[in-house]
mmCIF file of all heavy atoms in Angstrom:
data_model
loop_
_atom_site.group_PDB
_atom_site.id
_atom_site.type_symbol
_atom_site.label_atom_id
_atom_site.label_comp_id
_atom_site.label_asym_id
_atom_site.label_seq_id
_atom_site.Cartn_x
_atom_site.Cartn_y
_atom_site.Cartn_z
ATOM 1 N N ILE V 64 -159.144 186.537 23.017
ATOM 2 C CA ILE V 64 -158.594 187.807 23.510
ATOM 3 C C ILE V 64 -158.580 187.809 25.039
ATOM 4 O O ILE V 64 -157.627 188.255 25.679
ATOM 5 C CB ILE V 64 -159.407 188.999 22.958
ATOM 6 C CG1 ILE V 64 -159.236 189.060 21.434
ATOM 7 C CG2 ILE V 64 -158.978 190.305 23.596
ATOM 8 C CD1 ILE V 64 -160.147 190.048 20.753
ATOM 9 N N ARG V 65 -159.650 187.249 25.624
ATOM 10 C CA ARG V 65 -159.686 187.161 27.101
ATOM 11 C C ARG V 65 -158.562 186.272 27.623
ATOM 12 O O ARG V 65 -157.881 186.610 28.584
ATOM 13 C CB ARG V 65 -161.039 186.617 27.558
ATOM 14 C CG ARG V 65 -162.049 187.701 27.844
ATOM 15 C CD ARG V 65 -163.072 187.222 28.875
ATOM 16 N NE ARG V 65 -163.787 186.042 28.410
ATOM 17 C CZ ARG V 65 -164.820 186.072 27.563
ATOM 18 N NH1 ARG V 65 -165.234 187.233 27.083
ATOM 19 N NH2 ARG V 65 -165.419 184.972 27.206
ATOM 20 N N VAL V 66 -158.370 185.120 26.959
ATOM 21 C CA VAL V 66 -157.286 184.222 27.371
ATOM 22 C C VAL V 66 -155.944 184.947 27.252
ATOM 23 O O VAL V 66 -155.083 184.854 28.140
ATOM 24 C CB VAL V 66 -157.284 182.930 26.519
ATOM 25 C CG1 VAL V 66 -156.036 182.092 26.781
ATOM 26 C CG2 VAL V 66 -158.529 182.107 26.799
ATOM 27 N N ALA V 67 -155.772 185.715 26.159
ATOM 28 C CA ALA V 67 -154.518 186.447 25.942
ATOM 29 C C ALA V 67 -154.252 187.396 27.117
ATOM 30 O O ALA V 67 -153.131 187.479 27.624
ATOM 31 C CB ALA V 67 -154.593 187.227 24.635
ATOM 32 N N GLU V 68 -155.299 188.088 27.569
ATOM 33 C CA GLU V 68 -155.134 189.007 28.701
ATOM 34 C C GLU V 68 -154.790 188.239 29.977
ATOM 35 O O GLU V 68 -153.869 188.599 30.705
ATOM 36 C CB GLU V 68 -156.417 189.819 28.904
ATOM 37 C CG GLU V 68 -156.595 190.882 27.845
ATOM 38 C CD GLU V 68 -157.923 191.622 27.987
ATOM 39 O OE1 GLU V 68 -158.626 191.409 29.010
ATOM 40 O OE2 GLU V 68 -158.242 192.386 27.078
ATOM 41 N N ASP V 69 -155.537 187.155 30.200
ATOM 42 C CA ASP V 69 -155.297 186.342 31.414
ATOM 43 C C ASP V 69 -153.870 185.823 31.473
ATOM 44 O O ASP V 69 -153.277 185.724 32.543
ATOM 45 C CB ASP V 69 -156.237 185.128 31.442
ATOM 46 C CG ASP V 69 -157.676 185.522 31.698
ATOM 47 O OD1 ASP V 69 -157.908 186.721 31.995
ATOM 48 O OD2 ASP V 69 -158.564 184.649 31.599
ATOM 49 N N LYS V 70 -153.348 185.431 30.327
ATOM 50 C CA LYS V 70 -152.050 184.750 30.313
ATOM 51 C C LYS V 70 -150.879 185.704 30.085
ATOM 52 O O LYS V 70 -149.736 185.261 29.950
ATOM 53 C CB LYS V 70 -152.030 183.659 29.230
ATOM 54 C CG LYS V 70 -153.086 182.605 29.397
ATOM 55 C CD LYS V 70 -152.885 181.796 30.675
ATOM 56 C CE LYS V 70 -154.129 181.001 31.018
ATOM 57 N NZ LYS V 70 -154.141 180.563 32.414
ATOM 58 N N GLY V 71 -151.173 187.012 29.995
ATOM 59 C CA GLY V 71 -150.079 187.973 29.869
ATOM 60 C C GLY V 71 -149.426 188.020 28.502
ATOM 61 O O GLY V 71 -148.220 188.240 28.390
ATOM 62 N N VAL V 72 -150.221 187.833 27.465
ATOM 63 C CA VAL V 72 -149.676 187.880 26.106
ATOM 64 C C VAL V 72 -149.405 189.331 25.699
ATOM 65 O O VAL V 72 -150.246 190.198 25.893
ATOM 66 C CB VAL V 72 -150.674 187.223 25.124
ATOM 67 C CG1 VAL V 72 -150.294 187.489 23.677
ATOM 68 C CG2 VAL V 72 -150.758 185.729 25.390
ATOM 69 N N VAL V 73 -148.207 189.584 25.147
ATOM 70 C CA VAL V 73 -147.870 190.961 24.761
ATOM 71 C C VAL V 73 -147.993 191.200 23.263
ATOM 72 O O VAL V 73 -148.040 192.342 22.821
ATOM 73 C CB VAL V 73 -146.441 191.348 25.208
ATOM 74 C CG1 VAL V 73 -146.348 191.370 26.723
ATOM 75 C CG2 VAL V 73 -145.395 190.413 24.615
ATOM 76 N N ASP V 74 -148.011 190.154 22.482
ATOM 77 C CA ASP V 74 -148.060 190.345 21.035
ATOM 78 C C ASP V 74 -148.953 189.276 20.419
ATOM 79 O O ASP V 74 -148.772 188.090 20.683
ATOM 80 C CB ASP V 74 -146.626 190.245 20.472
ATOM 81 C CG ASP V 74 -146.529 190.820 19.071
ATOM 82 O OD1 ASP V 74 -147.552 191.335 18.568
ATOM 83 O OD2 ASP V 74 -145.436 190.735 18.488
ATOM 84 N N LEU V 75 -149.928 189.698 19.626
ATOM 85 C CA LEU V 75 -150.865 188.757 19.001
ATOM 86 C C LEU V 75 -150.528 188.581 17.523
ATOM 87 O O LEU V 75 -150.301 189.562 16.820
ATOM 88 C CB LEU V 75 -152.289 189.300 19.093
ATOM 89 C CG LEU V 75 -153.186 188.827 20.232
ATOM 90 C CD1 LEU V 75 -154.566 189.450 20.049
ATOM 91 C CD2 LEU V 75 -153.305 187.315 20.243
ATOM 92 N N LEU V 76 -150.517 187.343 17.070
ATOM 93 C CA LEU V 76 -150.278 187.057 15.655
ATOM 94 C C LEU V 76 -151.516 186.342 15.113
ATOM 95 O O LEU V 76 -151.589 185.114 15.154
ATOM 96 C CB LEU V 76 -149.052 186.166 15.487
ATOM 97 C CG LEU V 76 -147.737 186.674 16.082
ATOM 98 C CD1 LEU V 76 -146.676 185.584 16.056
ATOM 99 C CD2 LEU V 76 -147.259 187.884 15.314
ATOM 100 N N PRO V 77 -152.498 187.105 14.616
ATOM 101 C CA PRO V 77 -153.732 186.456 14.144
ATOM 102 C C PRO V 77 -153.682 186.190 12.637
ATOM 103 O O PRO V 77 -153.374 187.072 11.858
ATOM 104 C CB PRO V 77 -154.805 187.509 14.455
ATOM 105 C CG PRO V 77 -154.073 188.819 14.493
ATOM 106 C CD PRO V 77 -152.587 188.572 14.562
ATOM 107 N N PHE V 78 -153.937 184.964 12.235
ATOM 108 C CA PHE V 78 -153.925 184.689 10.799
ATOM 109 C C PHE V 78 -154.993 183.660 10.430
ATOM 110 O O PHE V 78 -155.491 182.924 11.281
ATOM 111 C CB PHE V 78 -152.545 184.207 10.347
ATOM 112 C CG PHE V 78 -152.181 182.842 10.858
ATOM 113 C CD1 PHE V 78 -152.433 181.713 10.098
ATOM 114 C CD2 PHE V 78 -151.593 182.687 12.109
ATOM 115 C CE1 PHE V 78 -152.111 180.452 10.568
ATOM 116 C CE2 PHE V 78 -151.267 181.427 12.584
ATOM 117 C CZ PHE V 78 -151.526 180.310 11.814
ATOM 118 N N ALA V 79 -155.339 183.664 9.147
ATOM 119 C CA ALA V 79 -156.360 182.736 8.649
ATOM 120 C C ALA V 79 -155.844 182.065 7.386
ATOM 121 O O ALA V 79 -155.032 182.630 6.656
ATOM 122 C CB ALA V 79 -157.651 183.483 8.342
ATOM 123 N N THR V 80 -156.310 180.845 7.158
ATOM 124 C CA THR V 80 -155.867 180.095 5.972
ATOM 125 C C THR V 80 -157.041 179.794 5.040
ATOM 126 O O THR V 80 -157.991 180.566 4.970
ATOM 127 C CB THR V 80 -155.134 178.801 6.381
ATOM 128 O OG1 THR V 80 -155.987 178.055 7.254
ATOM 129 C CG2 THR V 80 -153.835 179.108 7.104
ATOM 130 N N SER V 81 -156.974 178.655 4.403
ATOM 131 C CA SER V 81 -157.867 178.301 3.303
ATOM 132 C C SER V 81 -159.361 178.596 3.499
ATOM 133 O O SER V 81 -160.013 179.094 2.590
ATOM 134 C CB SER V 81 -157.640 176.825 2.998
ATOM 135 O OG SER V 81 -158.679 176.289 2.273
ATOM 136 N N ALA V 82 -159.912 178.293 4.685
ATOM 137 C CA ALA V 82 -161.362 178.431 4.852
ATOM 138 C C ALA V 82 -161.817 179.864 4.576
ATOM 139 O O ALA V 82 -162.779 180.100 3.835
ATOM 140 C CB ALA V 82 -161.774 178.008 6.252
ATOM 141 N N VAL V 83 -161.116 180.837 5.165
ATOM 142 C CA VAL V 83 -161.494 182.239 4.964
ATOM 143 C C VAL V 83 -161.033 182.718 3.586
ATOM 144 O O VAL V 83 -161.741 183.434 2.876
ATOM 145 C CB VAL V 83 -160.885 183.126 6.087
ATOM 146 C CG1 VAL V 83 -161.186 184.593 5.829
ATOM 147 C CG2 VAL V 83 -161.404 182.685 7.439
ATOM 148 N N ARG V 84 -159.832 182.248 3.204
ATOM 149 C CA ARG V 84 -159.264 182.657 1.917
ATOM 150 C C ARG V 84 -160.195 182.300 0.767
ATOM 151 O O ARG V 84 -160.424 183.081 -0.139
ATOM 152 C CB ARG V 84 -157.928 181.931 1.745
ATOM 153 C CG ARG V 84 -157.160 182.238 0.491
ATOM 154 C CD ARG V 84 -155.751 181.672 0.612
ATOM 155 N NE ARG V 84 -155.677 180.225 0.468
ATOM 156 C CZ ARG V 84 -154.993 179.426 1.271
ATOM 157 N NH1 ARG V 84 -154.338 179.923 2.312
ATOM 158 N NH2 ARG V 84 -154.967 178.126 1.064
ATOM 159 N N GLU V 85 -160.795 181.116 0.831
ATOM 160 C CA GLU V 85 -161.585 180.659 -0.306
ATOM 161 C C GLU V 85 -163.093 180.848 -0.131
ATOM 162 O O GLU V 85 -163.854 180.555 -1.044
ATOM 163 C CB GLU V 85 -161.271 179.191 -0.602
ATOM 164 C CG GLU V 85 -160.237 179.057 -1.703
ATOM 165 C CD GLU V 85 -159.031 178.236 -1.286
ATOM 166 O OE1 GLU V 85 -159.218 177.060 -0.997
ATOM 167 O OE2 GLU V 85 -157.911 178.787 -1.237
ATOM 168 N N ALA V 86 -163.528 181.361 1.019
ATOM 169 C CA ALA V 86 -164.963 181.582 1.207
ATOM 170 C C ALA V 86 -165.423 182.704 0.282
ATOM 171 O O ALA V 86 -164.704 183.687 0.077
ATOM 172 C CB ALA V 86 -165.244 181.936 2.664
ATOM 173 N N ALA V 87 -166.627 182.544 -0.259
ATOM 174 C CA ALA V 87 -167.160 183.553 -1.168
ATOM 175 C C ALA V 87 -167.298 184.901 -0.456
ATOM 176 O O ALA V 87 -167.178 185.965 -1.069
ATOM 177 C CB ALA V 87 -168.510 183.090 -1.722
ATOM 178 N N ASN V 88 -167.557 184.861 0.864
ATOM 179 C CA ASN V 88 -167.737 186.103 1.621
ATOM 180 C C ASN V 88 -166.530 186.396 2.524
ATOM 181 O O ASN V 88 -166.655 187.020 3.567
ATOM 182 C CB ASN V 88 -169.018 186.022 2.454
ATOM 183 C CG ASN V 88 -168.988 184.840 3.433
ATOM 184 O OD1 ASN V 88 -168.179 183.930 3.286
ATOM 185 N ND2 ASN V 88 -169.865 184.885 4.419
ATOM 186 N N GLY V 89 -165.346 185.932 2.113
ATOM 187 C CA GLY V 89 -164.146 186.092 2.928
ATOM 188 C C GLY V 89 -163.894 187.527 3.371
ATOM 189 O O GLY V 89 -163.629 187.793 4.557
ATOM 190 N N GLU V 90 -163.989 188.452 2.429
ATOM 191 C CA GLU V 90 -163.756 189.873 2.741
ATOM 192 C C GLU V 90 -164.719 190.356 3.822
ATOM 193 O O GLU V 90 -164.334 191.024 4.780
ATOM 194 C CB GLU V 90 -163.954 190.731 1.477
ATOM 195 C CG GLU V 90 -162.863 190.566 0.436
ATOM 196 C CD GLU V 90 -161.514 191.100 0.922
ATOM 197 O OE1 GLU V 90 -161.515 192.114 1.649
ATOM 198 O OE2 GLU V 90 -160.486 190.479 0.602
ATOM 199 N N ALA V 91 -165.997 190.004 3.652
ATOM 200 C CA ALA V 91 -167.023 190.449 4.605
ATOM 201 C C ALA V 91 -166.763 189.833 5.986
ATOM 202 O O ALA V 91 -166.949 190.495 7.015
ATOM 203 C CB ALA V 91 -168.412 190.050 4.099
ATOM 204 N N VAL V 92 -166.306 188.573 6.009
ATOM 205 C CA VAL V 92 -166.020 187.923 7.291
ATOM 206 C C VAL V 92 -164.894 188.665 8.007
ATOM 207 O O VAL V 92 -164.980 188.968 9.200
ATOM 208 C CB VAL V 92 -165.640 186.434 7.080
ATOM 209 C CG1 VAL V 92 -165.141 185.804 8.373
ATOM 210 C CG2 VAL V 92 -166.831 185.654 6.534
#
Side-chain angles (χ1 to χ4, degrees):
Chain V
I64 295 171
R65 268 207 301 279
V66 171
E68 286 176 9
D69 290 352
K70 301 296 165 198
V72 169
V73 295
D74 197 3
L75 264 183
L76 304 170
F78 69 94
T80 54
S81 162
V83 176
R84 181 168 75 226
E85 263 125 63
N88 59 344
E90 289 293 324
V92 171

